[in-house]
């Protein structure tokens, strides 16, 4: 991604320049936000074709991938085991998301799940998740959410999904010229997420052998940028990680946790938070606290959807479009200017 300050961010039909900085008292760069967001959703389809993403609405004529290009899907916050009024059947909505992804004409190489696989870290919940994800017929890469680690410090999660990882479950891999890094920021929680010095030392070593031209994709559960620190929606030591990433021309950061889409571009880094397959949460600051938000049963599929993003060689553009499972228009909300 270009480091030019003339970067533009496109979402649905609205466009915002990011070259006019506006920082609120809570430290959030409001011009760096996409002011529009959706309440809830299910997955992101990412295609790599030159380093800069351009999206098309799901089902629209899409970029034909070459042999050297690829796509993958991000899902997040499935919360298997949750059965409160916000969604009494989270297994069904996860399956609906996978069905829609499976109907896509370009088959993704793999899936990434960015945490809160389960709601209570129970063996039966992990078993159910595994059974549902069999239908994806693709390898799945995981990072844990706080709901996956709060009961036993993540031991069960690591036993199932952490083979070959380091520490509490961090790891990296390469795929067709792109370097992927899965980070864990849910174990040392201190109000916000935290990576910890041991993981930061590992990250420095992992990045050390890479050329600055290598595309980097980082994925973790809690946002690695200060979305809303009052609710713990950020990672306290993320700046130390991003100091190591300044020399790279293209860095994409994928997170979950907040159950809604937010995006921003800051220099060479594009941030994107995914929506949940389980239930929506309120936008920052519009409720007393975060948590499951109930919508009427006939509207639930309207607020669950898929985001289709293509990476193509194009100057200064990042485009991401969300579409709902039901096909209804996504309800968008403007980021409050606190």
């Amino acid at each position: 991604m270009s480091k030019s300050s003339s970067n533009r961010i496109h979402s649905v039909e609205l466009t915002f320049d990011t070259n006019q900085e506006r920082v609120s008292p809570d430290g959030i760069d409001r011009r760096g936000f996409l002011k529009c967001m959706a309440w809830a959703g299910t997955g992101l389809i990412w295609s790599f074709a030159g380093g800069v993403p351009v999206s098309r609405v799901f089902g629209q004529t899409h970029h034909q991938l070459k042999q050297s290009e690829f796509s993958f899907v991000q899902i997040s916050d499935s919360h298997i085991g949750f059965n409160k009024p916000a969604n009494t059947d989270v297994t069904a909505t996860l399956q609906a998301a996978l069905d829609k992804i499976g109907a896509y004409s370009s088959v993704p190489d793999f899936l990434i799940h960015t945490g809160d696989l389960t709601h209570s870290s129970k063996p039966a919940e992990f078993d159910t998740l595994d059974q549902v994800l069999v239908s994806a017929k693709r390898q799945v890469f995981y990072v844990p959410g706080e709901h996956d680690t709060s009961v036993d410090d993540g031991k069960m999660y690591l036993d199932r999904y952490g083979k070959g990882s380091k520490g509490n479950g961090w790891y990296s891999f390469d795929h067709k010229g792109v370097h992927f890094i899965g980070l864990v920021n849910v174990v040392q929680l201190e109000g916000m997420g935290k990576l910890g010095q041991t993981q930061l030392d590992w990250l420095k070593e992992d990045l050390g052998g890479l050329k600055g031209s290598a595309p980097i994709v980082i994925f973790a559960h809690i946002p690695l940028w200060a979305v809303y620190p009052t609710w713990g929606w950020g990672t306290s030591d993320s700046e130390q990680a991003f100091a190591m990433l300044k020399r790279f021309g293209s860095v994409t950061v994928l997170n979950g946790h907040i159950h809604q889409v937010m995006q921003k571009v800051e220099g060479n880094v594009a941030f994107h938070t995914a929506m949940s397959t389980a239930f929506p949460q309120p936008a920052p600051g519009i409720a007393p606290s975060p948590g499951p938000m109930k919508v009427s049963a006939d509207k639930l599929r309207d607020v669950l959807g898929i985001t289709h993003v293509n990476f193509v060689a194009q100057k200064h553009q990042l485009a991401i479009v969300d579409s709902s499972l039901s096909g209804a228009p996504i309800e968008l909300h403007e980021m409050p200017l606190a």
Side-chain angles (χ1 to χ4, degrees):
M1 176 171 297
S2 169
K3 297 182 180 179
S4 168
S5 62
S6 64
N7 282 353
R8 290 177 180 270
I9 310 175
H10 301 262
S11 175
V12 195
E13 296 178 351
L14 299 180
T15 303
F16 300 92
D17 284 330
T18 61
N19 57 359
Q20 299 179 9
E21 295 186 358
R22 183 178 301 172
V23 180
S24 69
D26 62 6
I28 299 176
D29 175 5
R30 300 303 186 188
R31 295 299 294 181
F33 273 14
L34 280 191
K35 289 188 178 180
C36 291
M37 67 190 77
W39 285 115
T42 61
L44 307 171
I45 299 180
W46 296 85
S47 301
F48 279 83
V52 180
V54 173
S55 69
R56 293 165 177 81
V57 176
F58 193 80
Q60 191 179 47
T61 302
H62 62 278
H63 173 75
Q64 294 297 322
L65 298 179
K66 301 176 183 177
Q67 186 174 3
S68 61
E69 301 165 354
F70 69 97
S71 67
F72 67 93
V73 172
Q74 180 194 2
I75 58 175
S76 196
D77 295 272
S78 48
H79 284 272
I80 297 300
F82 179 87
N83 60 0
K84 300 297 190 297
N87 186 354
T88 58
D89 194 349
V90 295
T91 302
T93 50
L94 173 60
Q95 184 62 63
L98 294 174
D99 291 345
K100 185 149 190 172
I101 293 167
Y104 183 59
S105 57
S106 292
V107 179
D109 285 21
F110 54 84
L111 275 65
I112 285 177
H113 194 309
T114 46
D116 279 353
L117 288 64
T118 67
H119 195 64
S120 307
S121 300
K122 295 178 181 177
E125 294 172 353
F126 285 115
D127 289 344
T128 298
L129 178 77
D130 292 342
Q131 292 165 11
V132 174
L133 287 178
V134 165
S135 66
K137 299 179 181 178
R138 288 292 176 273
Q139 183 173 4
V140 183
F141 294 94
Y142 302 91
V143 287
E146 75 278 6
H147 284 265
D148 305 314
T149 61
S150 59
V151 173
D152 60 356
D153 292 327
K155 184 180 183 301
M156 190 180 305
Y157 167 87
L158 287 174
D159 288 345
R160 288 177 178 251
Y161 310 110
K163 292 179 176 59
S165 65
K166 306 292 184 181
N168 293 310
W170 55 82
Y171 60 98
S172 65
F173 65 94
D174 295 286
H175 188 76
K176 294 184 179 179
V178 178
H179 190 65
F180 289 81
I181 304 171
L183 298 179
V184 178
N185 57 358
V186 297
V187 177
Q188 304 180 52
L189 291 178
E190 297 176 356
M192 295 198 297
K194 185 175 181 179
L195 297 168
Q197 193 58 51
T198 301
Q199 186 171 195
L200 289 168
D201 291 343
W202 170 85
L203 178 62
K204 182 178 180 179
E205 181 180 357
D206 183 71
L207 295 171
L210 299 175
K211 295 180 179 179
S213 59
I216 307 292
V217 174
I218 294 177
F219 55 103
H221 181 61
I222 297 175
L224 288 164
W225 49 297
V227 172
Y228 199 64
T230 302
W231 285 357
W233 287 2
T235 299
S236 60
D237 52 1
S238 60
E239 288 187 6
Q240 297 177 53
F242 289 116
M244 307 175 197
L245 294 160
K246 288 182 178 179
R247 68 184 181 89
F248 294 95
S250 176
V251 180
T252 303
V253 181
L254 309 178
N255 301 119
H257 187 59
I258 71 172
H259 296 214
Q260 58 197 277
V261 166
M262 280 186 164
Q263 303 164 335
K264 84 169 185 176
V265 174
E266 196 170 281
N268 62 330
V269 183
F271 298 87
H272 190 99
T273 61
M275 298 177 284
S276 168
T277 66
F279 52 82
Q281 292 201 76
I286 71 167
S289 63
M293 187 173 68
K294 188 178 184 301
V295 298
S296 61
D298 63 324
K299 298 294 184 183
L300 183 59
R301 297 296 176 97
D302 293 350
V303 295
L304 301 174
I306 290 173
T307 302
H308 174 203
V309 183
N310 282 326
F311 281 73
V312 299
Q314 194 174 48
K315 296 180 71 174
H316 312 323
Q317 291 191 355
L318 171 66
I320 297 180
V321 179
D322 295 275
S323 61
S324 67
L325 284 182
S326 67
I330 293 287
E331 183 179 1
L332 301 174
H333 300 265
E334 184 169 320
M335 182 64 202
L337 293 177

